[in-house]
Amino acid sequence: MSEGNIFSGLKVVDLSSFIAGPSAATILSDFGADVVKVEPPEGEMWRIGQKIPPQPHSKEPYPFQLANRNKRGVALNLKSANAQRVLERLAKWADVFIVNTPHSARKKLKLEYDDVAQWNPRLIYADLTGFGENGPDANLPGFDLTAFWARSGLLFMTRDAGEPPTWPVSGSGDNATGVCIYSAIVTALYRRERTSKGSYVTTSLLAAGVWSASVFIQAALCGASFYGLHDRTNPANAALNTYRSSDGTWFVLVATPDKVPAVLKAMGREDLLTDPRFSDPTKLAQNRPQLTAMLDEIFGSQPMSHWYEVFNTVHVPFGAVRGPEEVVHDPQLKANDIVVPLEGAGEGMTFTISSPIQVHGVSKVPARRAPKIGEHNNEVLKDLGFRDDEIDDLRASGAIPNAQTDKPVKEEALAS
């Protein structure tokens, strides 16, 4: 029997844009939090992410749906003088306030922690930056491609020797950082349970990137000796390498030293254990290209289904390299609620990816489509205590738009 939603009754204002901040709010919403997404009247740029190469092109706004499901939508012109009235009530209403607006703009908008905390001392103010709050580059604009991938060293390290840096999957660093800011929020909520005090919590794309690359970064801190970039034909360890089967499937082999004898036995090549070229560590270092070439020939003689059986027999870690079109058909995804139904998004997008956290005995909220621009303006403003005439005044002043829409102004500009 499932318990109630963990964050039922928790109120979250998501003032962040693109991916990392919104994804943290989405995780909270998966467990029952009431999340209000605040965006400009013309809509957030990520609403048309699917139309910006190299994102896979689609008429479905899948990037925005993924980062903003389960939320109520409010469109608010923060530059309007009357927007402060709405922000104040949102802050007083909320338990969590998520912001990734550059600090220079926050100061002008009176969105800094000191501005908001005066309205609600129990508030958890979650601040997400590209490069951290301090230092010479604190005010630089940060995207996961620049701050998480490039600046952290990850982009340098995730390539083969002699190859230029490649272009990582958009949002991969953002989503990792989103889990970090979610963790900071939950830690602060636990502190508030014990002290009744709010908190100012933060992380950055750079911090999350360095944490993700921390094994090699820690090695650099220790002055360790590096092997250099991975070279598939002359790897530092032929048992930890990529190979290709006869049907063209690439796979990653991770055979730790204790597993190597069993793997070679299952392959029918125990002779390699006593081969003088490879049995002595010094000679092995000299003959890694020859050993790799031999393994290439062996692995290339059988289809992936054969090696799948061989590796599973000896319980050695391996992974077939798959593209996204293959990944979506992996039975593990639905069996473990990694992919779940999405309600209300239309026929073109009936499934979505759940957040990577499960609590046994607790069901997540059924995933429902992201809001249209300003879809819940009236509903949320009334929840905040605004009267109908006050809402009309906000609309007349330009603080909120006249009507909801699902077509951002930016999309029209992109089309033209």
Side-chain angles (χ1 to χ4, degrees):
M1 185 176 181
S2 178
E3 299 175 7
N5 300 120
I6 294 173
F7 294 130
S8 179
L10 188 74
K11 300 168 184 175
V12 180
V13 173
D14 177 13
L15 269 158
S16 59
S17 58
F18 281 90
I19 308 173
S23 74
T26 296
I27 300 174
L28 292 167
S29 80
D30 281 345
F31 289 100
D34 180 3
V35 180
V36 172
K37 168 77 175 184
V38 181
E39 58 184 321
E42 68 273 17
E44 184 191 321
M45 179 67 79
W46 199 227
R47 281 185 176 273
I48 57 169
Q50 78 282 4
K51 297 181 182 295
I52 305 173
Q55 268 68 252
H57 187 271
S58 173
K59 64 180 181 180
E60 299 293 336
Y62 63 87
F64 189 81
Q65 290 282 359
L66 179 61
N68 293 284
R69 65 168 180 268
N70 302 341
K71 302 175 185 179
R72 295 195 286 170
V74 166
L76 182 65
N77 179 8
L78 294 178
K79 295 178 182 178
S80 168
N82 281 329
Q84 277 289 308
R85 296 168 58 198
V86 181
L87 284 174
E88 180 177 350
R89 294 205 194 183
L90 281 169
K92 289 178 177 178
W93 171 84
D95 296 291
V96 179
F97 214 74
I98 304 175
V99 188
N100 68 350
T101 309
H103 278 277
S104 56
R106 273 188 233 184
K107 290 178 182 178
K108 295 178 183 178
L109 297 171
K110 296 183 178 179
L111 262 178
E112 292 280 24
Y113 173 71
D114 290 339
D115 299 317
V116 177
Q118 65 178 333
W119 296 324
N120 183 356
R122 283 173 52 82
L123 189 69
I124 309 302
Y125 182 95
D127 177 11
L128 188 63
T129 63
F131 298 94
E133 301 169 87
N134 304 304
D137 294 334
N139 292 322
L140 284 180
F143 283 78
D144 78 333
L145 297 170
T146 58
F148 181 96
W149 278 99
R151 190 67 173 265
S152 72
L154 277 170
L155 199 58
F156 177 90
M157 293 180 275
T158 51
R159 57 175 171 152
D160 276 1
E163 296 296 325
T166 188
W167 199 261
V169 176
S170 299
S172 51
D174 276 314
N175 281 325
T177 306
V179 175
C180 294
I181 197 68
Y182 164 80
S183 301
I185 291 167
V186 173
T187 302
L189 286 170
Y190 180 71
R191 174 179 182 257
R192 193 177 74 172
E193 285 294 309
R194 303 183 70 177
T195 66
S196 296
K197 295 179 180 178
S199 295
Y200 181 177
V201 301
T202 185
T203 193
S204 66
L205 291 163
L206 176 61
V210 170
W211 181 253
S212 298
S214 59
V215 172
F216 275 31
I217 300 296
Q218 184 67 62
L221 287 170
C222 296
S225 177
F226 282 74
Y227 286 96
L229 294 174
H230 177 71
D231 184 343
R232 204 202 71 75
T233 61
N234 184 20
N237 188 337
L240 278 66
N241 200 15
T242 55
Y243 295 98
R244 185 161 56 177
S245 60
S246 64
D247 57 2
T249 302
W250 284 97
F251 63 92
V252 178
L253 178 64
V254 186
T256 51
D258 59 312
K259 291 289 186 180
V260 169
V263 172
L264 293 177
K265 182 178 179 180
M267 292 168 58
R269 293 306 305 264
E270 289 178 279
D271 58 299
L272 295 178
L273 291 170
T274 55
D275 189 311
R277 293 173 296 175
F278 314 127
S279 57
D280 176 77
T282 301
K283 291 183 178 180
L284 173 60
Q286 298 170 349
N287 293 305
R288 283 194 302 260
Q290 290 89 328
L291 176 58
T292 303
M294 292 175 68
L295 292 174
D296 271 338
E297 183 176 352
I298 295 168
F299 289 131
S301 67
Q302 297 288 344
M304 191 65 227
S305 57
H306 172 80
W307 298 119
Y308 189 96
E309 185 175 339
V310 167
F311 297 145
N312 276 330
T313 299
V314 294
H315 303 290
V316 65
F318 73 99
V321 178
R322 294 173 173 170
E325 295 92 341
E326 296 172 287
V327 172
V328 295
H329 297 295
D330 189 328
Q332 290 296 114
L333 271 58
K334 290 183 180 178
N336 292 281
D337 292 327
I338 298 171
V339 165
V340 296
L342 178 65
E343 299 176 359
E347 295 181 2
M349 189 172 173
T350 55
F351 287 91
T352 192
I353 302 161
S354 186
S355 51
I357 297 170
Q358 300 285 353
V359 179
H360 281 270
V362 176
S363 297
K364 290 183 179 178
V365 171
R368 64 181 186 277
R369 69 166 175 83
K372 297 177 182 180
I373 301 170
E375 179 175 351
H376 302 98
N377 268 12
N378 282 14
E379 177 185 309
V380 171
L381 289 171
K382 287 182 178 180
D383 285 351
L384 298 177
F386 284 96
R387 302 187 310 270
D388 287 339
D389 61 313
E390 291 177 309
I391 295 174
D392 290 339
D393 288 343
L394 289 170
R395 190 167 282 115
S397 71
I400 61 174
N402 288 323
Q404 70 174 45
T405 178
D406 57 358
K407 189 172 184 179
V409 173
K410 294 185 182 74
E411 183 172 358
E412 297 172 359
L414 188 66
S416 61

